[in-house]
Amino acid sequence: MSSRVADARERLLLLLALPALVLLLGLFAFPVLRLLAMSVEGGSLEYFEKAALDGLYVSVLADSLRIASVVTGICLVLAYPVALWLSRAGRLGLALGLFALLLPFWTSVLVRTYAWMVLLGRNGVMNRMLRDWGLIDAPVMLLYNTSGVLIGMVHVLLPYMVFPIYAALLRVDPDLGRAAEGLGAPAWRAFTRITLPLSLPGVSAGCALVFVLSLGFFITPALLGGGRVIMISMLIEQQVREFLDWPFAAALSAVLLAVTLGIYALVGRFGGKSHLATP
Amino acid sequence: MRLSVQGIVKRFGATTALGGVDLDLAEGEFLTILGPSGSGKTTLLKVVAGFEAPDAGRVRLGEEDVTEVSPRQRDVGMVFQNYALFPHLTVAQNVAFPLEMRRRPKPEIAKRVTEALALVELGALSGRLPRQLSGGQQQRVALARAVVFGPRLLLLDEPFGALDRKLREGLQLEVRRLQRRLGLTTLFITHDQEEALVMSDRIAVMNHGRLDQVGAPAEVYARPATRFVADFLGESNLLEGEARGDAVAVPGFGPVPVACPPGPATLLLRPEALRLDAKAAGLDCRATGRVVETIFLGLSAKLRIRVEGGPEVLARVPLRPSTPPPAGEGATVALGFAAEDVHVVPRG
């Protein structure tokens, strides 16, 4: 009797989840698999061969990896102090800090990227300000080059680094810091020996998130790079939109997906040691 | 080393956590601060450790005034309530931490860690992580870490709170032996009065941010200085009466011949001092009563008795295989006590 009730309940829950499942399978999983299948159409690996042998694609992938690494690095350096401050802030500081971090999410990435174009342009707010202060004579090129791309991407991705680190720091028992101090540790040594290692799971989660998101970033580098900075995602888009070469776009997507999954696997293996997170 | 705490005041906003605390510990002494939660005992410990700055008063270690000295320079070993072991470091690394921070040479660190772990009988587990240890073992690691660098003072903040009773009793004795062996001046915090009685050279009873009484366990138990101490430490019958001349009139028992200034008086009578039936015959003060409840406790039984024309009292009678079972509920009993077993609780 009771097991029949449980069965009925399970069936009902499954029924409720069905629309989402159908949507995901039909409109996401199936097309992705179709696309990936296209790259090996006819059982040949010619498209992968093309991607591997043509210097352009290899160098763009290398550039994308490099930019993703730099963005991740800058985000980490900027985010860690913010997360540390948030984890120790009072109620008001915390509310203000979280608000400031979440505010950008209320605006689309597109709008924010255009806003950066206004700020960073040749006669943009930034250049005018620097000139008014007498720091520069001629305008600095901040737009349509790597600096612009880096600035825009770091801005968009910073919260993805702050939150995991903040969460990890919150899990560190404040008594540990007190204990370290009481045992004779100067503040910075207590930090490097105790707080920092215990927050590493958050650091690796944040790095993986930001790195993977940067690797596939499209809008921001496309607009702020002005065609001078090419990311792998832009090449894929170009193959589809300009050359209608779907199988080759599929092969490049497969490579990007493989790199992304590879990074996740690495982080899962080395960065995600759970004993560090549990008190 | 000697610890001297003078006139410590600590306020948090409008509440006064410590209202002028004076305390002196002799070299090698084990002093327990006993008090209910919220009495300010943890705040006092934090002031001594240096984690809280007092609003007034001084803390001295030996001859040195350490009131303004940061915790890292106080050389005070502390065992936290939750042990605060570093979860990513092994047992040996945890114990080595204070020595590393003092930049001791490597061979010396290795030697002292080994000694400290041997002292708490954990040498075999030095490579384990804290989460791989039982609660009692973690507690011993915390203790080893707190004493390995030869601190001037040892602070223990309810270190047995999370352990089960049997383990706690074993560790209490172990900590006491270790403390004696190292001759460490120790300040121990607990709300468990039994623990305080077992472990301490002296007990300081804390109530609302003040010390009501400081004295040897037997002294504090037998002659509590305030009503709060009498009530908090052990089980007690507090008999209210009226002092006249050379006796205190207690309803139900009549005049109790003890010296007391005239006026309302409170007498402390421990449950074990109250005798029943045949044993009550010939004692100074006698009454009859009806048993309200009998609780069997193994070695003894506890009886709640309503005294005829008087208060309800608690009696504790020892049980031996040869003694007849204690009177059951509803039975009428004779009860009595000797005047010398009564303590007059000073008016506070």
Side-chain angles (χ1 to χ4, degrees):
Chain A
M1 179 69 191
S2 68
S3 82
R4 267 170 65 188
V5 172
D7 277 355
R9 213 181 154 118
E10 206 179 303
R11 267 202 298 276
L12 181 68
L13 287 176
L14 191 65
L15 204 67
L16 288 171
L18 208 57
L21 276 176
V22 168
L23 198 75
L24 269 179
L25 285 174
L27 299 179
F28 181 71
F30 177 69
V32 166
L33 289 173
R34 261 306 304 271
L35 185 75
L36 293 179
M38 251 186 235
S39 65
V40 288
E41 226 162 50
S44 96
L45 291 174
E46 59 172 306
Y47 298 109
F48 286 98
E49 214 179 308
K50 186 178 164 194
L53 293 181
D54 190 327
L56 172 69
Y57 302 109
V58 175
S59 83
V60 167
L61 186 63
D63 273 356
S64 302
L65 287 169
R66 192 173 50 83
I67 288 177
S69 312
V70 174
V71 168
T72 306
I74 296 174
C75 278
L76 178 59
V77 170
L78 293 178
Y80 201 101
V82 176
L84 194 61
W85 170 70
L86 278 180
S87 72
R88 285 163 196 198
R91 203 177 297 187
L92 185 69
L94 183 65
L96 282 175
L98 290 180
F99 180 72
L101 273 172
L102 289 171
L103 192 63
F105 284 106
W106 298 353
T107 323
S108 90
V109 176
L110 196 61
V111 173
R112 277 187 275 159
T113 303
Y114 276 116
W116 275 116
M117 292 171 81
V118 174
L119 289 172
L120 299 177
R122 226 184 139 71
N123 288 304
V125 178
M126 200 69 89
N127 264 317
R128 248 178 294 156
M129 209 160 68
L130 292 175
R131 235 173 320 168
D132 289 350
W133 290 348
L135 291 172
I136 53 168
D137 298 323
V140 185
M141 283 307 293
L142 292 171
L143 199 55
Y144 306 134
N145 57 17
T146 311
S147 338
V149 172
L150 291 179
I151 292 172
M153 285 175 76
V154 165
H155 172 242
V156 173
L157 294 171
L158 194 59
Y160 295 97
M161 185 69 88
V162 174
F163 283 116
I165 299 177
Y166 169 62
L169 284 169
L170 275 193
R171 281 198 297 267
V172 179
D173 179 359
D175 264 353
L176 295 183
R178 234 169 272 149
E181 206 186 343
L183 292 168
W188 67 273
R189 292 195 82 189
F191 175 77
T192 53
R193 283 281 277 159
I194 309 300
T195 313
L196 182 65
L198 289 173
S199 66
L200 282 185
V203 169
S204 65
C207 285
L209 205 57
V210 169
F211 190 84
V212 164
L213 286 173
S214 332
L215 203 54
F217 231 58
F218 178 72
I219 296 175
T220 304
L223 292 177
L224 297 179
R228 288 194 190 83
V229 181
I230 314 257
M231 301 278 285
I232 183 90
S233 57
M234 290 154 70
L235 271 192
I236 295 170
E237 191 255 6
Q238 195 186 36
Q239 292 303 323
V240 172
R241 203 166 48 97
E242 286 176 28
F243 306 129
L244 299 175
D245 192 348
W246 284 83
F248 188 49
L252 291 177
S253 304
V255 170
L256 181 58
L257 185 64
V259 171
T260 307
L261 291 176
I263 289 160
Y264 267 125
L266 272 180
V267 169
R269 199 176 152 130
F270 296 110
K273 285 189 181 162
S274 61
H275 77 263
L276 295 177
T278 49
Chain B
M1 199 166 288
R2 279 185 51 233
L3 168 71
S4 167
V5 170
Q6 287 162 349
I8 295 290
V9 175
K10 178 72 191 174
R11 295 184 199 91
F12 295 106
T15 54
T16 301
L18 297 173
V21 173
D22 297 295
L23 195 60
D24 280 288
L25 270 74
E27 167 111 47
E29 188 178 21
F30 192 114
L31 187 137
T32 298
I33 298 185
L34 174 68
S37 53
S39 57
K41 53 194 195 306
T42 299
T43 307
L44 180 62
L45 198 75
K46 282 184 175 164
V47 168
V48 173
F51 296 126
E52 296 278 3
D55 293 317
R58 311 306 298 173
V59 179
R60 280 190 189 78
L61 268 174
E63 297 307 309
E64 189 194 350
D65 186 327
V66 296
T67 317
E68 318 287 336
V69 175
S70 80
R72 68 181 65 97
Q73 270 142 10
R74 279 196 195 192
D75 271 330
V76 169
M78 176 153 173
V79 176
F80 288 72
Q81 211 164 355
N82 58 2
Y83 318 137
L85 295 178
F86 306 128
H88 59 305
L89 301 183
T90 63
V91 167
Q93 287 168 333
N94 262 284
V95 177
F97 187 85
L99 299 171
E100 274 174 33
M101 293 303 130
R102 284 166 178 75
R103 303 197 179 281
R104 311 307 306 169
K106 280 232 162 71
E108 185 197 325
I109 293 182
K111 183 169 158 277
R112 286 171 74 172
V113 167
T114 309
E115 282 168 6
L117 286 176
L119 209 57
V120 295
E121 290 164 18
L122 280 179
L125 303 179
S126 64
R128 298 259 186 105
L129 288 171
R131 70 190 163 101
Q132 296 168 318
L133 303 179
S134 71
Q137 289 167 337
Q138 291 184 17
Q139 208 270 323
R140 274 148 55 191
V141 176
L143 193 63
R145 190 178 67 174
V147 301
V148 71
F149 58 98
R152 299 195 277 185
L153 178 72
L154 179 63
L155 303 176
L156 303 164
D157 185 9
E158 306 225 14
F160 309 119
L163 305 174
D164 64 59
R165 192 183 175 85
K166 203 144 192 178
L167 194 58
R168 191 161 37 174
E169 283 169 4
L171 277 167
Q172 285 168 3
L173 296 174
E174 199 175 318
V175 166
R176 191 69 173 104
R177 273 198 294 272
L178 184 77
Q179 182 265 342
R180 284 223 179 100
R181 205 157 118 202
L182 300 174
L184 263 173
T185 312
T186 302
L187 193 58
F188 180 83
I189 299 271
T190 186
H191 64 269
D192 182 329
Q193 38 111 358
E194 223 171 285
E195 200 162 276
L197 293 172
V198 170
M199 299 188 72
S200 323
D201 291 323
R202 283 192 302 156
I203 295 177
V205 184
M206 194 152 203
N207 182 25
H208 292 307
R210 286 173 189 282
L211 294 179
D212 271 19
Q213 187 175 12
V214 184
E219 160 81 19
V220 178
Y221 184 80
R223 283 180 291 280
T226 66
R227 203 190 153 91
F228 173 81
V229 176
D231 203 29
F232 192 71
L233 204 70
E235 289 174 326
S236 51
N237 294 304
L238 292 169
L239 305 174
E240 306 296 342
E242 190 70 24
R244 289 188 216 95
D246 53 1
V248 177
V250 176
F253 287 97
V256 180
V258 286
C260 182
T266 304
L267 303 182
L268 167 67
L269 178 68
R270 295 290 182 192
E272 58 271 22
L274 200 57
R275 307 300 179 85
L276 298 184
D277 290 332
K279 288 188 177 131
L283 289 173
D284 304 323
C285 310
R286 290 192 304 277
T288 52
R290 183 178 289 275
V291 178
V292 180
E293 190 180 18
T294 303
I295 303 155
F296 175 72
L297 293 170
L299 285 175
S300 64
K302 225 156 63 171
L303 288 85
R304 275 201 299 131
I305 301 162
R306 160 69 58 187
V307 176
E308 224 167 82
E312 196 174 274
V313 293
L314 204 60
R316 190 189 266 271
V317 292
L319 293 180
R320 256 161 269 134
S322 59
T323 51
E329 280 153 37
T332 303
V333 290
L335 50 162
F337 56 88
E340 65 259 29
D341 282 336
V342 167
H343 169 68
V344 181
V345 181
R347 271 171 226 141

